[in-house]
Amino acid sequence: MIVTVLYALIFYVATVLFVAGLAVKIVQFARTPAPLKIPTTPAPTTRAGVVVRMGREVVLFESLFRSNKWIWIFGWLFHFGMFLVLARHLRYFTEPVWTWVALIQPFGMYASFAMVGGLIGLWARRVLVDRVRYISAPSDHLMLALLVGIGLSGMSMTFLYHTDIVALKAFFLGLIRFDWGNLTYLPADPLLLLHLLLVATLMVVFPFSKLLHAPGVFFSPTRNQVDNPRERRHLAPWAAQLESGGR
Ligand code: HEM
């Protein structure tokens, strides 16, 4: 009972910090002036072209592919694996489970190998490549450790020591629906409790960490600007104000 209430509180607090922290950061990103026209060329000359370019960047990690093949392979494996794993996790939070989520279940299970394998490759680079080891800060290692910990504890449940998914789902649906009167006991399996504690930690640190590159990529001027400086004069709002004599 104590564990259930404790985890309920942990997840409410973590969710509030995650959502509010992310909102604050996104507003801050959106308000940061981009005074110069600096798209990395060759760049699209239309808005639609920018959307396609951004799509390639987000789905394929195009510029990373151009700059470093090893980081690209491991980085893409990790992110794509995590994407499938998270899509598979939707079944714990939805009732009835959507058809496409049911269909991808087996892929999501095995995608965990890509996810953790990619993370281990990225981590090995920080340890084995002298130049990269030198510039790696403790938080770089901490993020990798956190994600590997989440991956390995999850995989242990999927492939070795199963937990009570039905009770887990009832617990989370209760939290989402604010149905505190009938809160289902959370299974007290050490692996599940570890998995969930690490996930809550990730949610809390996310808005203050390098993981913010996820929303941040959309605000990158070198990627989101249209290459049209001759057709339209680029003027940051503060520069326009100065020009019109305002302060
Ligand atoms: C509140 C959120 C979460 C809950 C309730 C949860 C719960 C679970 C459970 C019960 C399993 C075992 C699945 C089974 O036996 O079939 C699992 C597996 C796994 N979890 Fe999570 N998890 C959460 C968040 C996350 C996050 C954010 C990540 C990644 C960053 C993650 C990564 C994994 C991985 C890699 C596996 C193994 C592969 C799989 O079965 O999908 N989990 N999780």
Side-chain angles (χ1 to χ4, degrees), residues 11 82 85-86 88-89 91-93 108-109 112 115 147 150-151 154-155 157-158 162-163 165 168 172 192 195-196 199 202:
F11 268 92
M82 184 172 69
V85 164
L86 291 181
R88 167 174 144 89
H89 275 60
R91 75 182 165 136
Y92 308 134
F93 310 103
M109 269 169 77
S112 59
M115 175 180 154
L147 287 163
I150 293 175
M155 289 174 78
M157 283 187 285
T158 306
H162 301 292
T163 186
I165 304 273
L168 170 86
F172 270 101
L192 177 65
H195 191 66
L196 295 182
V199 169
L202 183 73

mmCIF file of all heavy atoms in Angstrom, residues 11 82 85-86 88-89 91-93 108-109 112 115 147 150-151 154-155 157-158 162-163 165 168 172 192 195-196 199 202, ligand 1:
data_model
loop_
_atom_site.group_PDB
_atom_site.id
_atom_site.type_symbol
_atom_site.label_atom_id
_atom_site.label_comp_id
_atom_site.label_asym_id
_atom_site.label_seq_id
_atom_site.Cartn_x
_atom_site.Cartn_y
_atom_site.Cartn_z
ATOM 1 N N PHE A 11 4.754 9.781 -9.585
ATOM 2 C CA PHE A 11 4.388 9.982 -10.996
ATOM 3 C C PHE A 11 3.597 11.263 -11.217
ATOM 4 O O PHE A 11 3.757 11.911 -12.253
ATOM 5 C CB PHE A 11 3.690 8.746 -11.569
ATOM 6 C CG PHE A 11 4.701 7.836 -12.202
ATOM 7 C CD1 PHE A 11 5.291 6.832 -11.471
ATOM 8 C CD2 PHE A 11 5.127 8.060 -13.505
ATOM 9 C CE1 PHE A 11 6.294 6.038 -12.029
ATOM 10 C CE2 PHE A 11 6.125 7.272 -14.071
ATOM 11 C CZ PHE A 11 6.703 6.254 -13.328
ATOM 12 N N MET A 82 13.849 3.098 -29.509
ATOM 13 C CA MET A 82 13.072 3.696 -28.416
ATOM 14 C C MET A 82 11.691 4.107 -28.903
ATOM 15 O O MET A 82 10.697 3.952 -28.187
ATOM 16 C CB MET A 82 13.806 4.910 -27.836
ATOM 17 C CG MET A 82 13.091 5.496 -26.635
ATOM 18 S SD MET A 82 14.035 6.767 -25.806
ATOM 19 C CE MET A 82 14.012 8.078 -27.006
ATOM 20 N N VAL A 85 9.608 1.032 -28.959
ATOM 21 C CA VAL A 85 9.361 0.605 -27.573
ATOM 22 C C VAL A 85 8.279 1.488 -26.948
ATOM 23 O O VAL A 85 7.330 0.993 -26.325
ATOM 24 C CB VAL A 85 10.670 0.667 -26.746
ATOM 25 C CG1 VAL A 85 10.361 0.613 -25.256
ATOM 26 C CG2 VAL A 85 11.610 -0.457 -27.134
ATOM 27 N N LEU A 86 8.410 2.807 -27.144
ATOM 28 C CA LEU A 86 7.429 3.715 -26.520
ATOM 29 C C LEU A 86 6.053 3.535 -27.154
ATOM 30 O O LEU A 86 5.033 3.582 -26.467
ATOM 31 C CB LEU A 86 7.900 5.170 -26.640
ATOM 32 C CG LEU A 86 9.131 5.517 -25.776
ATOM 33 C CD1 LEU A 86 9.511 6.975 -25.943
ATOM 34 C CD2 LEU A 86 8.884 5.200 -24.303
ATOM 35 N N ARG A 88 4.930 0.780 -28.302
ATOM 36 C CA ARG A 88 4.417 -0.458 -27.704
ATOM 37 C C ARG A 88 3.874 -0.199 -26.299
ATOM 38 O O ARG A 88 2.884 -0.806 -25.884
ATOM 39 C CB ARG A 88 5.557 -1.482 -27.668
ATOM 40 C CG ARG A 88 5.314 -2.703 -26.820
ATOM 41 C CD ARG A 88 6.450 -3.676 -27.008
ATOM 42 N NE ARG A 88 6.785 -4.388 -25.791
ATOM 43 C CZ ARG A 88 6.226 -5.533 -25.415
ATOM 44 N NH1 ARG A 88 5.286 -6.066 -26.157
ATOM 45 N NH2 ARG A 88 6.593 -6.128 -24.311
ATOM 46 N N HIS A 89 4.504 0.728 -25.563
ATOM 47 C CA HIS A 89 4.067 1.039 -24.199
ATOM 48 C C HIS A 89 2.683 1.667 -24.137
ATOM 49 O O HIS A 89 2.081 1.703 -23.063
ATOM 50 C CB HIS A 89 5.052 1.995 -23.526
ATOM 51 C CG HIS A 89 6.227 1.320 -22.889
ATOM 52 N ND1 HIS A 89 7.115 0.552 -23.583
ATOM 53 C CD2 HIS A 89 6.662 1.302 -21.601
ATOM 54 C CE1 HIS A 89 8.045 0.097 -22.761
ATOM 55 N NE2 HIS A 89 7.792 0.531 -21.558
ATOM 56 N N ARG A 91 0.042 0.597 -24.864
ATOM 57 C CA ARG A 91 -1.010 -0.344 -24.406
ATOM 58 C C ARG A 91 -1.235 -0.285 -22.897
ATOM 59 O O ARG A 91 -2.262 -0.714 -22.391
ATOM 60 C CB ARG A 91 -0.681 -1.774 -24.839
ATOM 61 C CG ARG A 91 0.408 -2.413 -24.039
ATOM 62 C CD ARG A 91 0.724 -3.811 -24.548
ATOM 63 N NE ARG A 91 1.985 -4.252 -23.989
ATOM 64 C CZ ARG A 91 2.176 -5.458 -23.498
ATOM 65 N NH1 ARG A 91 1.212 -6.336 -23.501
ATOM 66 N NH2 ARG A 91 3.347 -5.792 -23.018
ATOM 67 N N TYR A 92 -0.259 0.229 -22.148
ATOM 68 C CA TYR A 92 -0.440 0.322 -20.692
ATOM 69 C C TYR A 92 -1.315 1.502 -20.302
ATOM 70 O O TYR A 92 -1.749 1.602 -19.168
ATOM 71 C CB TYR A 92 0.905 0.484 -19.969
ATOM 72 C CG TYR A 92 1.938 -0.536 -20.345
ATOM 73 C CD1 TYR A 92 3.239 -0.172 -20.628
ATOM 74 C CD2 TYR A 92 1.596 -1.881 -20.423
ATOM 75 C CE1 TYR A 92 4.177 -1.110 -20.988
ATOM 76 C CE2 TYR A 92 2.521 -2.827 -20.788
ATOM 77 C CZ TYR A 92 3.814 -2.434 -21.079
ATOM 78 O OH TYR A 92 4.738 -3.358 -21.441
ATOM 79 N N PHE A 93 -1.508 2.427 -21.245
ATOM 80 C CA PHE A 93 -2.209 3.670 -20.882
ATOM 81 C C PHE A 93 -3.508 3.879 -21.645
ATOM 82 O O PHE A 93 -4.140 4.918 -21.511
ATOM 83 C CB PHE A 93 -1.279 4.873 -21.125
ATOM 84 C CG PHE A 93 0.082 4.703 -20.498
ATOM 85 C CD1 PHE A 93 1.183 4.369 -21.262
ATOM 86 C CD2 PHE A 93 0.232 4.834 -19.127
ATOM 87 C CE1 PHE A 93 2.427 4.187 -20.678
ATOM 88 C CE2 PHE A 93 1.470 4.654 -18.523
ATOM 89 C CZ PHE A 93 2.570 4.326 -19.309
ATOM 90 N N GLY A 108 8.018 -4.045 -31.103
ATOM 91 C CA GLY A 108 8.435 -3.227 -29.963
ATOM 92 C C GLY A 108 9.315 -4.017 -29.008
ATOM 93 O O GLY A 108 10.289 -3.511 -28.469
ATOM 94 N N MET A 109 8.976 -5.296 -28.816
ATOM 95 C CA MET A 109 9.775 -6.129 -27.918
ATOM 96 C C MET A 109 11.223 -6.221 -28.399
ATOM 97 O O MET A 109 12.164 -5.998 -27.643
ATOM 98 C CB MET A 109 9.210 -7.551 -27.890
ATOM 99 C CG MET A 109 8.183 -7.796 -26.837
ATOM 100 S SD MET A 109 7.386 -9.381 -27.121
ATOM 101 C CE MET A 109 8.618 -10.527 -26.519
ATOM 102 N N SER A 112 13.818 -3.282 -28.449
ATOM 103 C CA SER A 112 14.578 -2.932 -27.243
ATOM 104 C C SER A 112 16.055 -3.293 -27.423
ATOM 105 O O SER A 112 16.922 -2.636 -26.856
ATOM 106 C CB SER A 112 13.990 -3.648 -26.028
ATOM 107 O OG SER A 112 14.015 -5.034 -26.206
ATOM 108 N N MET A 115 17.554 -0.447 -29.247
ATOM 109 C CA MET A 115 17.650 0.705 -28.352
ATOM 110 C C MET A 115 18.877 0.583 -27.436
ATOM 111 O O MET A 115 19.738 1.468 -27.399
ATOM 112 C CB MET A 115 16.364 0.812 -27.520
ATOM 113 C CG MET A 115 16.415 1.895 -26.486
ATOM 114 S SD MET A 115 14.893 1.998 -25.512
ATOM 115 C CE MET A 115 15.558 2.710 -24.014
ATOM 116 N N LEU A 147 19.265 5.857 -19.326
ATOM 117 C CA LEU A 147 18.544 5.219 -20.432
ATOM 118 C C LEU A 147 18.877 3.731 -20.525
ATOM 119 O O LEU A 147 17.990 2.898 -20.764
ATOM 120 C CB LEU A 147 18.865 5.930 -21.748
ATOM 121 C CG LEU A 147 18.212 7.307 -21.871
ATOM 122 C CD1 LEU A 147 18.868 8.142 -22.951
ATOM 123 C CD2 LEU A 147 16.718 7.153 -22.163
ATOM 124 N N ILE A 150 16.968 2.021 -17.750
ATOM 125 C CA ILE A 150 15.549 1.849 -18.087
ATOM 126 C C ILE A 150 15.400 0.698 -19.078
ATOM 127 O O ILE A 150 14.537 -0.179 -18.925
ATOM 128 C CB ILE A 150 14.979 3.154 -18.693
ATOM 129 C CG1 ILE A 150 14.947 4.261 -17.647
ATOM 130 C CG2 ILE A 150 13.587 2.914 -19.267
ATOM 131 C CD1 ILE A 150 14.513 5.617 -18.175
ATOM 132 N N GLY A 151 16.271 0.686 -20.088
ATOM 133 C CA GLY A 151 16.190 -0.357 -21.127
ATOM 134 C C GLY A 151 16.412 -1.744 -20.543
ATOM 135 O O GLY A 151 15.626 -2.667 -20.783
ATOM 136 N N GLY A 154 13.618 -2.880 -18.197
ATOM 137 C CA GLY A 154 12.434 -3.219 -19.002
ATOM 138 C C GLY A 154 12.605 -4.552 -19.696
ATOM 139 O O GLY A 154 11.725 -5.421 -19.655
ATOM 140 N N MET A 155 13.772 -4.750 -20.311
ATOM 141 C CA MET A 155 14.007 -6.004 -21.040
ATOM 142 C C MET A 155 14.001 -7.199 -20.097
ATOM 143 O O MET A 155 13.543 -8.289 -20.460
ATOM 144 C CB MET A 155 15.342 -5.940 -21.787
ATOM 145 C CG MET A 155 15.311 -5.003 -22.973
ATOM 146 S SD MET A 155 16.924 -4.811 -23.712
ATOM 147 C CE MET A 155 17.054 -6.339 -24.641
ATOM 148 N N MET A 157 12.168 -7.561 -17.606
ATOM 149 C CA MET A 157 10.759 -7.928 -17.365
ATOM 150 C C MET A 157 10.148 -8.596 -18.588
ATOM 151 O O MET A 157 9.346 -9.518 -18.483
ATOM 152 C CB MET A 157 9.955 -6.674 -17.030
ATOM 153 C CG MET A 157 10.149 -6.179 -15.636
ATOM 154 S SD MET A 157 9.018 -4.848 -15.288
ATOM 155 C CE MET A 157 9.737 -3.490 -16.160
ATOM 156 N N THR A 158 10.520 -8.107 -19.762
ATOM 157 C CA THR A 158 9.923 -8.659 -20.988
ATOM 158 C C THR A 158 10.392 -10.089 -21.231
ATOM 159 O O THR A 158 9.609 -10.960 -21.592
ATOM 160 C CB THR A 158 10.323 -7.787 -22.194
ATOM 161 O OG1 THR A 158 9.980 -6.449 -21.908
ATOM 162 C CG2 THR A 158 9.622 -8.246 -23.458
ATOM 163 N N HIS A 162 8.710 -11.866 -15.607
ATOM 164 C CA HIS A 162 7.507 -11.089 -15.972
ATOM 165 C C HIS A 162 6.848 -10.460 -14.749
ATOM 166 O O HIS A 162 6.933 -10.992 -13.647
ATOM 167 C CB HIS A 162 6.515 -11.988 -16.697
ATOM 168 C CG HIS A 162 7.110 -12.585 -17.936
ATOM 169 N ND1 HIS A 162 7.433 -11.839 -19.040
ATOM 170 C CD2 HIS A 162 7.462 -13.852 -18.228
ATOM 171 C CE1 HIS A 162 7.963 -12.615 -19.954
ATOM 172 N NE2 HIS A 162 8.004 -13.852 -19.495
ATOM 173 N N THR A 163 6.181 -9.353 -15.024
ATOM 174 C CA THR A 163 5.451 -8.716 -13.934
ATOM 175 C C THR A 163 3.958 -8.797 -14.244
ATOM 176 O O THR A 163 3.563 -9.307 -15.302
ATOM 177 C CB THR A 163 5.904 -7.249 -13.763
ATOM 178 O OG1 THR A 163 5.268 -6.720 -12.607
ATOM 179 C CG2 THR A 163 5.542 -6.401 -14.963
ATOM 180 N N ILE A 165 1.172 -7.323 -15.645
ATOM 181 C CA ILE A 165 0.856 -6.192 -16.527
ATOM 182 C C ILE A 165 -0.574 -5.696 -16.293
ATOM 183 O O ILE A 165 -0.844 -4.496 -16.375
ATOM 184 C CB ILE A 165 1.000 -6.610 -18.013
ATOM 185 C CG1 ILE A 165 2.391 -7.160 -18.297
ATOM 186 C CG2 ILE A 165 0.673 -5.446 -18.943
ATOM 187 C CD1 ILE A 165 3.427 -6.164 -18.657
ATOM 188 N N LEU A 168 -0.562 -3.508 -13.281
ATOM 189 C CA LEU A 168 0.184 -2.288 -13.601
ATOM 190 C C LEU A 168 -0.681 -1.333 -14.418
ATOM 191 O O LEU A 168 -0.753 -0.138 -14.158
ATOM 192 C CB LEU A 168 1.445 -2.652 -14.395
ATOM 193 C CG LEU A 168 2.168 -1.458 -14.991
ATOM 194 C CD1 LEU A 168 3.119 -0.871 -13.973
ATOM 195 C CD2 LEU A 168 2.890 -1.812 -16.257
ATOM 196 N N PHE A 172 -2.037 2.508 -13.557
ATOM 197 C CA PHE A 172 -1.803 3.728 -14.338
ATOM 198 C C PHE A 172 -3.099 4.329 -14.876
ATOM 199 O O PHE A 172 -3.242 5.550 -14.921
ATOM 200 C CB PHE A 172 -0.791 3.475 -15.466
ATOM 201 C CG PHE A 172 0.613 3.728 -15.001
ATOM 202 C CD1 PHE A 172 1.448 2.687 -14.646
ATOM 203 C CD2 PHE A 172 1.083 5.023 -14.864
ATOM 204 C CE1 PHE A 172 2.732 2.928 -14.178
ATOM 205 C CE2 PHE A 172 2.365 5.283 -14.403
ATOM 206 C CZ PHE A 172 3.195 4.228 -14.056
ATOM 207 N N LEU A 192 10.246 -3.900 -11.674
ATOM 208 C CA LEU A 192 9.239 -2.913 -12.105
ATOM 209 C C LEU A 192 9.433 -1.610 -11.333
ATOM 210 O O LEU A 192 9.421 -0.518 -11.920
ATOM 211 C CB LEU A 192 7.826 -3.461 -11.886
ATOM 212 C CG LEU A 192 6.716 -2.472 -12.243
ATOM 213 C CD1 LEU A 192 6.722 -2.169 -13.740
ATOM 214 C CD2 LEU A 192 5.347 -2.979 -11.826
ATOM 215 N N HIS A 195 12.415 0.107 -12.741
ATOM 216 C CA HIS A 195 12.080 0.649 -14.068
ATOM 217 C C HIS A 195 11.301 1.959 -13.911
ATOM 218 O O HIS A 195 11.648 2.969 -14.508
ATOM 219 C CB HIS A 195 11.242 -0.391 -14.816
ATOM 220 C CG HIS A 195 11.023 -0.112 -16.277
ATOM 221 N ND1 HIS A 195 12.038 -0.118 -17.201
ATOM 222 C CD2 HIS A 195 9.888 0.164 -16.988
ATOM 223 C CE1 HIS A 195 11.547 0.139 -18.405
ATOM 224 N NE2 HIS A 195 10.247 0.321 -18.299
ATOM 225 N N LEU A 196 10.303 1.936 -13.070
ATOM 226 C CA LEU A 196 9.437 3.116 -12.922
ATOM 227 C C LEU A 196 10.169 4.272 -12.243
ATOM 228 O O LEU A 196 9.988 5.434 -12.622
ATOM 229 C CB LEU A 196 8.175 2.748 -12.132
ATOM 230 C CG LEU A 196 7.253 1.746 -12.832
ATOM 231 C CD1 LEU A 196 6.009 1.487 -11.984
ATOM 232 C CD2 LEU A 196 6.839 2.233 -14.220
ATOM 233 N N VAL A 199 12.331 5.844 -14.806
ATOM 234 C CA VAL A 199 11.514 6.600 -15.764
ATOM 235 C C VAL A 199 11.106 7.942 -15.156
ATOM 236 O O VAL A 199 11.204 8.994 -15.803
ATOM 237 C CB VAL A 199 10.265 5.799 -16.188
ATOM 238 C CG1 VAL A 199 9.282 6.675 -16.959
ATOM 239 C CG2 VAL A 199 10.662 4.589 -17.032
ATOM 240 N N LEU A 202 13.979 10.232 -15.212
ATOM 241 C CA LEU A 202 14.181 10.753 -16.576
ATOM 242 C C LEU A 202 13.199 11.894 -16.868
ATOM 243 O O LEU A 202 13.571 12.920 -17.449
ATOM 244 C CB LEU A 202 13.982 9.618 -17.586
ATOM 245 C CG LEU A 202 14.219 9.992 -19.046
ATOM 246 C CD1 LEU A 202 15.711 10.161 -19.312
ATOM 247 C CD2 LEU A 202 13.662 8.928 -19.987
HETATM 248 C C1 HEM B 1 5.353 5.095 -16.830
HETATM 249 C C2 HEM B 1 6.003 4.681 -17.868
HETATM 250 C C3 HEM B 1 6.425 3.248 -18.112
HETATM 251 C C4 HEM B 1 5.857 2.072 -17.691
HETATM 252 C C5 HEM B 1 4.582 1.887 -16.868
HETATM 253 C C6 HEM B 1 6.665 0.991 -18.197
HETATM 254 C C7 HEM B 1 6.428 -0.357 -17.989
HETATM 255 C C8 HEM B 1 7.091 -1.408 -18.617
HETATM 256 C C9 HEM B 1 6.798 -2.799 -18.484
HETATM 257 C C10 HEM B 1 5.670 -3.358 -17.614
HETATM 258 C C11 HEM B 1 7.649 -3.502 -19.257
HETATM 259 C C12 HEM B 1 7.680 -5.035 -19.454
HETATM 260 C C13 HEM B 1 6.817 -5.371 -20.654
HETATM 261 C C14 HEM B 1 6.425 -6.821 -20.774
HETATM 262 O O1 HEM B 1 6.753 -7.624 -19.913
HETATM 263 O O2 HEM B 1 5.772 -7.132 -21.782
HETATM 264 C C15 HEM B 1 8.511 -2.548 -19.907
HETATM 265 C C16 HEM B 1 9.486 -2.862 -20.795
HETATM 266 C C17 HEM B 1 10.361 -1.955 -21.353
HETATM 267 N N1 HEM B 1 10.387 -0.593 -21.114
HETATM 268 FE FE1 HEM B 1 9.088 0.450 -19.997
HETATM 269 N N2 HEM B 1 7.707 1.517 -18.915
HETATM 270 C C18 HEM B 1 7.586 2.897 -18.885
HETATM 271 C C19 HEM B 1 8.405 3.814 -19.507
HETATM 272 C C20 HEM B 1 9.490 3.490 -20.305
HETATM 273 C C21 HEM B 1 10.345 4.458 -20.978
HETATM 274 C C22 HEM B 1 10.169 5.992 -20.923
HETATM 275 C C23 HEM B 1 11.273 3.743 -21.667
HETATM 276 C C24 HEM B 1 12.409 4.220 -22.543
HETATM 277 C C25 HEM B 1 13.004 5.384 -22.460
HETATM 278 C C26 HEM B 1 11.022 2.330 -21.419
HETATM 279 C C27 HEM B 1 11.762 1.284 -21.941
HETATM 280 C C28 HEM B 1 11.409 -0.044 -21.851
HETATM 281 C C29 HEM B 1 12.084 -1.104 -22.597
HETATM 282 C C30 HEM B 1 13.274 -0.925 -23.545
HETATM 283 C C31 HEM B 1 11.419 -2.288 -22.286
HETATM 284 C C32 HEM B 1 11.720 -3.694 -22.858
HETATM 285 C C33 HEM B 1 11.058 -3.871 -24.215
HETATM 286 C C34 HEM B 1 9.537 -3.893 -24.172
HETATM 287 O O3 HEM B 1 8.947 -4.825 -23.578
HETATM 288 O O4 HEM B 1 8.938 -2.972 -24.738
HETATM 289 N N3 HEM B 1 9.926 2.226 -20.591
HETATM 290 N N4 HEM B 1 8.169 -1.277 -19.493
#
